[in-house]
Amino acid sequence: MNYQFSNRISKIKVNPLRANARKNMEHPDVISFAYGFPPEVAFPSKQLSEISQKLYDLENHETFLQYGPSEGHPEFLTALGKRLSSVVNVYDSDTDDLMVVSGSTQGMDLTVKAFCNEGDIVICEAQTFSGAVNSIRAYGAEPLAIPMKGETIDLDLVETALIADVDHKIKLIYLIPTFQNPLGTSMPLADRIRIYELAKTYGVMIFEDDPYGDLLYEGEPIPKIKSFDTEGLVIYSGSFSKILAPSTRVGFLVIPKMAYQMVLLGKQTSDSHTNQYWQLVAAKFMTDYDFEAHIEGLRELYKEKFMLMMSELDKISPDLMTYIRPAGGYFLCGKLSDALDTRRFYDYLIAHQVAVIPGNVMSVEQEGFDKYFRLNFTKPTLTEIRKGIKIISDALKVASISSSAEIFEQEAM
Amino acid sequence: MNYQFSNRISKIKVNPLRANARKNMEHPDVISFAYGFPPEVAFPSKQLSEISQKLYDLENHETFLQYGPSEGHPEFLTALGKRLSSVVNVYDSDTDDLMVVSGSTQGMDLTVKAFCNEGDIVICEAQTFSGAVNSIRAYGAEPLAIPMKGETIDLDLVETALIADVDHKIKLIYLIPTFQNPLGTSMPLADRIRIYELAKTYGVMIFEDDPYGDLLYEGEPIPKIKSFDTEGLVIYSGSFSKILAPSTRVGFLVIPKMAYQMVLLGKQTSDSHTNQYWQLVAAKFMTDYDFEAHIEGLRELYKEKFMLMMSELDKISPDLMTYIRPAGGYFLCGKLSDALDTRRFYDYLIAHQVAVIPGNVMSVEQEGFDKYFRLNFTKPTLTEIRKGIKIISDALKVASISSSAEIFEQEAM
């Protein structure tokens, strides 16, 4: 058989790291700053076990074993709506609607499915979550990479692109405004307001991807773009992966009411509905337990690691590397000085078994960012952070030795 | 905001029944033969509860709470592979590969995603599962409805279509060969062999959708098309929805090895991975419990209902309706005689609160099959089957009274 694959599937850029994630994670000798995983201690196992047992103790099990509505389990949607109104400040039941999705990857997939034809364009931060970029390509749409300027996508370039788009091919702006992946940065409020105004002026939707939003460690939260979406331009995407457990596969969208049914149609054809067990476990955690205290516990757990990683990094000379200090989330992103030899940096890390995500992997074009490397601080232990950053520091020094100096040293040995 | 939706999403034919499924199901006065739901007693709650508790009792919970591989949890794939080799006879680890999917709807979605460009064609049985048809349309591909001839899609018409397809637009043949939805019919072996030969000759893939295959009540099982797939033409799709619980959202594909990676790419961009809790629960049910005895119990439970429904239907005159007797599965499909007034038939059922699925709903074009109606026999109780089929019998009699006679009766009152 001579297999003929669709054009769109052939456009997806393969991320070999993904497939090997578990294998690498489980290698005991590797210090991994690579993946955006929570540590095992972050799972609220005791509460999950209790809630689970209560579900099985119910007389009727249809509520979590039977087919369910594509929109989501009513109990989940109600509990989630309350939290989004009172804590996250993005939900207003008069203007928006909630939909469960099977993880936030599906949220982006369904949005592209509903709004983008083949050949349509989605504006993206040039350095961004490659999974979302692949969701765009998997429908034959084209991501348009726009560079960052400080902590924000370059808004002048966004406007230039929108002005030039006379055929209205640009349908969507994909953003991770809070604790960006991979950069860790957050768009200031003024920039959020300006990009919303641009979207309004040019009739383009915004996808606000916010999987880390609850994990603030320093300063005050910045209002979500969705919080001032009076025109119904913003699809807000959240997830329980980072605040409960990734394998729940429970994420959600807040969708402008008039667009809701079309996204729902895509959900029905994609996977019919999301597993109800985890929707109910999440719902009961929110209603019967102190979910906010659990999240506060995560913040404390991660803040300690976050502060340690930064204090260790701050010992490294800015002549070797720099980074923008995040205020929360899962990642920060180092940038090697131009003079450094990138290949030698990575070779040293591999030889000394420290895993990071190279900047090109978390970029739209999978190139142009080889001086960047992403560091996750939630999964490693404090000891691993100390040891790992020391090795990164050594790798930077090795990468800074000029080739001639190295040859001289070798000859002298 | 003036929302612009993608062309492809606009092609999906809305199935209003779906969204209202739970609401209708829960109305206590309605006798429902409508949805393909298992009854509550079919859930092996005791075993599920035990397995679940054992998972939570493990020291490390990463195995079911952490991110997992897109291919599926290794323990699930191993247990499933054994069952498919020894019981279902479709799996040969030398030629094929297994992948978990989030319910069999996703299996079809991913297959269309990987193999069909916009404008490509998928041959379908004219009466078929509308969810699969919508998955086709959701990628801008076109379902080509070919009528049934007895228990098989009309193979001469399939060949005519393949011969005429000089541009090779036909990429896939979508079939439910065993206990077809909505007809309940099964393709005889000779027809399975012939359609496989057609696929081979014309270089087209077959998607063998088999969610009901384990539920045989009469006679011997017919070999799956996948069981003689020496050329790697067949993607076999199975599910735990009907043999464990629908809300597990655990289905699977057996994919020819050379096509595996491209389908996997689509899975990664669609929902990253399937929830691991239910993969592990299913795995442990297969390895630590007698899963085949559980399925034998389902067969006994459903066979009694199946036999009763047919014996009740057999009291109805073939001048009013006919049906093809299935050998297993979830459904059978009645056909009103041509002379009957369809509208009057459905009006009577609605007035007397009996729900069935009208034939047009389970068809590619959503029209042309208004004389058909699908009956599910797994969810209703024996009492409901007796009462409901009596009402259907009455509805048929009412629908057979000619309009003039009805007017006469009304005037005489």
Side-chain angles (χ1 to χ4, degrees):
Chain A
M1 177 70 184
N2 210 342
Y3 300 104
Q4 294 189 298
F5 299 103
S6 66
N7 299 331
R8 86 178 82 74
I9 205 87
S10 315
K11 285 186 183 169
I12 296 175
K13 306 222 169 169
V14 183
N15 182 347
L17 292 161
R18 184 71 235 212
N20 294 319
R22 281 191 79 86
K23 217 183 324 176
N24 294 348
M25 289 296 303
E26 282 162 7
H27 196 293
D29 296 334
V30 172
I31 294 176
S32 181
F33 303 125
Y35 303 107
F37 285 24
E40 213 267 334
V41 291
F43 302 131
S45 302
K46 190 174 158 293
Q47 296 96 315
L48 296 180
S49 173
E50 269 179 36
I51 296 168
S52 180
Q53 202 50 52
K54 277 183 204 159
L55 287 178
Y56 284 106
D57 288 346
L58 292 173
E59 214 164 290
N60 188 309
H61 298 125
E62 292 216 281
T63 192
F64 69 99
L65 294 176
Q66 191 58 278
Y67 285 108
S70 302
E71 296 87 337
H73 195 291
E75 212 174 312
F76 171 73
L77 296 178
T78 303
L80 175 64
K82 272 188 197 159
R83 175 163 206 273
L84 292 181
S85 308
S86 60
V87 182
V88 186
N89 298 317
V90 295
Y91 184 66
D92 166 3
S93 59
D94 286 341
T95 58
D96 304 311
D97 265 317
L98 291 179
M99 185 185 300
V100 73
V101 291
S102 304
S104 62
T105 296
Q106 188 185 55
M108 183 59 183
D109 178 277
L110 296 180
T111 301
V112 179
K113 189 173 196 170
F115 292 99
C116 296
N117 287 317
E118 289 196 8
D120 278 349
I121 293 166
V122 180
I123 289 178
C124 299
E125 292 150 332
Q127 291 167 276
T128 193
F129 174 48
S130 53
V133 174
N134 276 333
S135 291
I136 295 165
R137 293 197 169 108
Y139 288 98
E142 300 288 342
L144 174 65
I146 292 192
M148 301 294 284
K149 193 172 170 184
E151 307 210 26
T152 300
I153 189 169
D154 188 322
L155 293 172
D156 294 330
L157 291 180
V158 170
E159 182 156 25
T160 304
L162 290 169
I163 290 169
D165 180 35
V166 287
D167 299 332
H168 198 57
K169 287 273 182 194
I170 301 172
K171 295 298 192 320
L172 209 61
I173 303 173
Y174 173 75
L175 299 171
I176 312 169
T178 307
F179 318 140
Q180 210 259 6
N181 178 5
L183 296 172
T185 52
S186 294
M187 279 177 87
L189 178 59
D191 290 342
R192 295 179 189 219
I193 292 171
R194 186 168 162 215
I195 202 158
Y196 183 77
E197 290 301 322
L198 288 176
K200 193 161 105 181
T201 304
Y202 295 96
V204 175
M205 306 277 297
I206 291 174
F207 187 94
E208 182 173 24
D209 196 2
D210 193 32
Y212 320 106
D214 287 301
L215 302 172
L216 175 81
Y217 314 128
E218 289 187 334
E220 289 301 309
I222 304 169
K224 315 292 182 194
I225 302 175
K226 185 67 187 167
S227 72
F228 44 84
D229 179 25
T230 50
E231 310 287 317
L233 299 173
V234 181
I235 293 183
Y236 176 86
S237 166
S239 170
F240 283 81
S241 289
K242 311 299 190 196
I243 54 174
L244 195 57
S247 200
T248 59
R249 307 322 288 137
V250 173
F252 56 88
L253 296 177
V254 187
I255 307 168
K257 200 176 275 303
M258 299 295 290
Y260 189 92
Q261 282 304 318
M262 296 306 255
V263 181
L264 184 65
L265 274 181
K267 168 74 179 164
Q268 287 173 356
T269 69
S270 285
D271 69 353
S272 186
H273 70 95
T274 294
N275 87 81
Q276 301 197 100
Y277 172 85
W278 284 115
Q279 289 184 65
L280 272 169
V281 171
K284 288 182 191 304
F285 207 137
M286 287 186 277
T287 52
D288 302 353
Y289 290 77
D290 191 346
F291 190 54
E292 303 314 320
H294 161 66
I295 293 178
E296 185 52 38
L298 294 180
R299 277 188 212 106
E300 282 167 25
L301 176 68
Y302 298 152
K303 185 177 180 178
E304 188 179 7
K305 297 180 177 194
F306 163 81
M307 297 300 280
L308 176 66
M309 183 176 275
M310 288 193 301
S311 77
E312 295 298 311
L313 285 172
D314 290 344
K315 295 176 187 167
I316 299 172
S317 160
D319 292 342
L320 294 175
M321 70 158 270
T322 53
Y323 70 98
I324 299 178
R325 187 183 176 94
Y330 252 54
F331 308 112
L332 59 82
C333 201
K335 188 187 178 198
L336 275 65
S337 297
D338 289 342
L340 265 60
D341 183 325
T342 313
R343 196 186 48 73
R344 217 181 298 172
F345 173 71
Y346 285 114
D347 284 350
Y348 189 93
L349 292 188
I350 292 166
H352 293 78
Q353 300 192 295
V354 169
V356 304
I357 297 282
N360 288 339
V361 170
M362 284 293 160
S363 75
V364 173
E365 300 301 344
Q366 304 277 298
E367 60 181 35
F369 296 97
D370 61 343
K371 294 284 179 207
Y372 290 81
F373 60 99
R374 190 189 77 178
L375 297 175
N376 164 264
F377 50 77
T378 60
K379 175 80 180 164
T381 62
L382 295 171
T383 308
E384 286 174 327
I385 289 173
R386 264 188 219 99
K387 282 168 82 171
I389 300 298
K390 175 71 177 64
I391 291 168
I392 286 174
S393 172
D394 293 344
L396 289 163
K397 284 174 199 153
V398 168
S400 71
I401 299 169
S402 72
S403 298
S404 55
E406 186 185 43
I407 291 163
F408 178 78
E409 274 181 12
Q410 282 177 352
E411 284 176 349
M413 275 166 79
Chain B
M1 177 70 182
N2 211 344
Y3 300 105
Q4 293 188 300
F5 299 104
S6 66
N7 299 331
R8 87 177 83 74
I9 206 89
S10 314
K11 285 187 183 169
I12 296 175
K13 306 222 170 171
V14 182
N15 182 346
L17 292 160
R18 183 73 235 213
N20 293 318
R22 282 191 78 87
K23 218 185 320 174
N24 293 347
M25 290 295 305
E26 282 163 7
H27 196 291
D29 296 334
V30 172
I31 295 177
S32 180
F33 303 127
Y35 302 106
F37 285 24
E40 212 266 334
V41 293
F43 301 132
S45 303
K46 192 175 157 292
Q47 295 95 316
L48 296 180
S49 173
E50 267 178 39
I51 296 168
S52 180
Q53 202 49 53
K54 276 183 205 160
L55 287 178
Y56 284 105
D57 287 346
L58 292 173
E59 214 164 290
N60 189 309
H61 298 125
E62 290 216 283
T63 191
F64 70 98
L65 293 177
Q66 192 56 278
Y67 285 108
S70 302
E71 295 87 336
H73 195 291
E75 211 174 312
F76 171 72
L77 297 178
T78 302
L80 176 64
K82 273 189 195 158
R83 176 163 204 272
L84 292 181
S85 308
S86 60
V87 183
V88 186
N89 297 316
V90 295
Y91 183 66
D92 165 3
S93 59
D94 286 341
T95 57
D96 303 310
D97 266 318
L98 291 180
M99 184 186 299
V100 73
V101 291
S102 305
S104 62
T105 296
Q106 189 185 55
M108 183 60 184
D109 178 277
L110 296 180
T111 301
V112 179
K113 188 173 196 169
F115 292 100
C116 297
N117 287 317
E118 290 198 7
D120 278 349
I121 294 166
V122 179
I123 289 179
C124 299
E125 294 150 329
Q127 292 167 275
T128 194
F129 173 49
S130 54
V133 174
N134 277 333
S135 290
I136 296 165
R137 292 199 170 108
Y139 288 99
E142 299 287 342
L144 173 64
I146 293 193
M148 301 294 283
K149 195 173 169 184
E151 306 211 28
T152 301
I153 189 170
D154 188 323
L155 294 172
D156 294 330
L157 291 180
V158 170
E159 181 155 26
T160 304
L162 290 168
I163 291 170
D165 179 35
V166 287
D167 299 332
H168 199 58
K169 286 275 182 193
I170 300 172
K171 295 298 192 320
L172 209 59
I173 304 173
Y174 172 74
L175 298 171
I176 313 169
T178 306
F179 319 139
Q180 209 259 5
N181 178 6
L183 296 171
T185 53
S186 293
M187 281 176 87
L189 179 58
D191 291 342
R192 295 179 188 217
I193 292 170
R194 188 170 160 213
I195 203 158
Y196 183 77
E197 290 302 321
L198 288 175
K200 193 161 106 181
T201 304
Y202 296 96
V204 175
M205 306 276 295
I206 292 174
F207 187 94
E208 183 175 23
D209 195 3
D210 193 32
Y212 320 105
D214 287 301
L215 302 172
L216 175 80
Y217 314 128
E218 288 188 334
E220 290 300 310
I222 305 169
K224 315 292 184 195
I225 303 175
K226 185 68 188 167
S227 70
F228 44 84
D229 179 24
T230 51
E231 309 288 317
L233 298 174
V234 180
I235 293 183
Y236 176 85
S237 166
S239 169
F240 282 80
S241 289
K242 311 299 191 194
I243 54 175
L244 195 59
S247 200
T248 60
R249 308 320 291 139
V250 173
F252 56 88
L253 296 176
V254 188
I255 306 167
K257 202 176 274 304
M258 298 296 290
Y260 190 92
Q261 282 304 319
M262 295 307 254
V263 181
L264 184 66
L265 275 182
K267 169 76 179 161
Q268 288 174 356
T269 68
S270 284
D271 69 353
S272 186
H273 70 95
T274 294
N275 86 82
Q276 301 199 100
Y277 171 85
W278 284 114
Q279 290 185 65
L280 272 170
V281 170
K284 290 184 189 302
F285 207 136
M286 288 187 277
T287 52
D288 302 353
Y289 290 77
D290 191 346
F291 190 53
E292 303 314 319
H294 161 65
I295 293 178
E296 185 52 38
L298 293 180
R299 279 188 211 105
E300 283 168 26
L301 175 69
Y302 296 153
K303 186 178 178 176
E304 189 180 6
K305 298 180 178 195
F306 164 79
M307 298 300 280
L308 176 66
M309 184 176 274
M310 288 193 300
S311 76
E312 294 298 309
L313 286 172
D314 290 344
K315 295 175 186 167
I316 299 171
S317 162
D319 293 343
L320 295 175
M321 70 158 271
T322 55
Y323 70 98
I324 300 177
R325 188 183 175 94
Y330 252 54
F331 308 112
L332 58 81
C333 199
K335 187 188 177 200
L336 274 64
S337 298
D338 288 343
L340 266 59
D341 183 324
T342 313
R343 196 186 48 72
R344 218 181 298 171
F345 173 71
Y346 285 114
D347 285 350
Y348 189 94
L349 292 188
I350 291 165
H352 292 78
Q353 299 193 297
V354 169
V356 303
I357 298 283
N360 288 339
V361 170
M362 284 291 161
S363 75
V364 172
E365 300 300 343
Q366 304 278 297
E367 58 181 33
F369 296 97
D370 60 345
K371 293 288 178 204
Y372 290 81
F373 59 99
R374 190 189 76 178
L375 297 175
N376 163 263
F377 50 78
T378 61
K379 175 80 181 165
T381 63
L382 295 171
T383 308
E384 286 173 327
I385 290 173
R386 265 189 218 97
K387 282 168 80 172
I389 301 298
K390 176 70 177 65
I391 292 167
I392 286 173
S393 173
D394 293 343
L396 290 162
K397 284 173 200 156
V398 169
S400 71
I401 298 167
S402 74
S403 298
S404 57
E406 188 186 43
I407 291 161
F408 178 78
E409 275 181 12
Q410 284 179 346
E411 283 177 347
M413 276 167 77

